[in-house]
Amino acid sequence: MNMLKIVAVPMHPEGRKFVGIFAGIAVLLGLIWQPLFWLGLGATVWCYYFFRNPVRTVPQRAGLILSPADGVVSLISEVAPPPELGLGDAPVYRVSVFMNVFNCHVNRSPMDGTITQIVYHEGKFVNASLDKASEHNERNGLAIESPDGHRIGVVQIAGLVARRIVCFVKTGDALKAGEVFGLIRFGSRLDVYLPEGILPAVSVGTTAVAGETTLADLHAEQKAVQSVDI
């Protein structure tokens, strides 16, 4: 049933060492006082759950831009994309997906395409749900260009608890929509910069699923500006 799916979900290899550390601490706590073992075991199960890497059903319709992360759409703003990603300086829609410590933190490519740029910035660790996190927090930005020439930006942003951004790809790599490209450990956010003139297909408060939820549709008729919270 649903519980079996949670227990049996595969774990990303990045989490193995952390689960091992949590398990070792649980054993040591149990030697001190048995009730502490159960607390440690609960923390170990949470750690395993944090690094889960579930199989996703990726929509195959051309032109979709999918969520790169599990979480809640926390911000939708019209801003200029980060200059280092080479996406131009015209304002575009930025869709931010906030991940709490219980969300799956494996990050997936929003669309088919080639990585044209990867830029890492050191920074602060303020609450990732805040708008200023896009500029002030530690972050790693990727520019992805689709086979038909559409370009998007995807930025991994560390948060108040997150202290480690992991990126598994490099410039020039080709990605499929829904393919894993990185993760952020222990709470964070991802920003997606849509192509110029493309409107979001979600609203603030939408629960997003990485590799499944559609953030925008490149082939949809762009009729009206969607209301957004900034």
Side-chain angles (χ1 to χ4, degrees):
M1 300 286 293
N2 291 336
M3 182 58 67
L4 179 61
K5 291 182 179 179
I6 293 174
V7 173
V9 70
M11 180 179 65
H12 193 278
E14 184 74 16
R16 291 171 183 167
K17 58 184 176 182
F18 292 97
V19 172
I21 291 171
F22 273 66
I25 292 174
V27 172
L28 292 176
L29 290 174
L31 295 176
I32 297 171
W33 188 38
Q34 188 174 2
L36 291 178
F37 168 77
W38 298 108
L39 292 176
L41 181 61
T44 303
V45 172
W46 169 81
C47 187
Y48 176 92
Y49 184 67
F50 177 88
F51 285 102
R52 67 195 183 279
N53 185 20
V55 176
R56 294 289 162 81
T57 303
V58 181
Q60 297 302 304
R61 183 158 63 85
L64 298 182
I65 297 177
L66 308 175
S67 177
D70 287 15
V72 174
V73 176
S74 58
L75 295 166
I76 298 177
S77 313
E78 195 170 9
V79 298
E84 65 270 16
L85 295 183
L87 300 175
D89 54 8
V92 298
Y93 279 101
R94 180 187 68 198
V95 181
S96 302
V97 180
F98 178 74
M99 300 178 287
N100 64 39
V101 295
F102 297 104
N103 289 128
C104 175
H105 276 56
V106 172
N107 304 148
R108 299 173 182 270
S109 177
M111 66 178 187
D112 293 350
T114 301
I115 300 173
T116 60
Q117 195 77 267
I118 298 179
V119 182
Y120 169 79
H121 281 282
E122 294 183 351
K124 300 178 181 179
F125 297 94
V126 300
N127 190 332
S129 65
L130 300 177
D131 188 34
K132 64 181 179 180
S134 294
E135 297 182 5
H136 298 305
N137 278 28
E138 178 178 319
R139 60 197 184 277
N140 185 62
L142 294 80
I144 304 174
E145 183 171 347
S146 69
D148 59 1
H150 287 98
R151 296 187 298 164
I152 65 170
V154 182
V155 182
Q156 300 169 284
I157 302 173
L160 189 64
V161 180
R163 298 290 160 168
R164 176 64 172 163
I165 295 173
V166 183
C167 184
F168 306 124
V169 295
K170 62 183 184 302
T171 302
D173 284 354
L175 292 172
K176 289 292 186 182
E179 182 177 349
V180 173
F181 72 84
L183 59 82
I184 314 174
R185 292 205 287 260
F186 307 121
S188 44
R189 163 179 150 192
L190 266 80
D191 287 347
V192 178
Y193 293 85
L194 303 179
E196 186 176 356
I198 300 300
L199 302 180
V202 292
S203 58
V204 171
T206 298
T207 298
V209 178
E212 293 188 359
T213 301
T214 298
L215 298 185
D217 187 346
L218 298 174
H219 297 162
E221 186 177 356
Q222 308 295 309
K223 288 185 177 180
V225 176
Q226 178 173 329
S227 61
V228 297
D229 293 343
I230 301 178

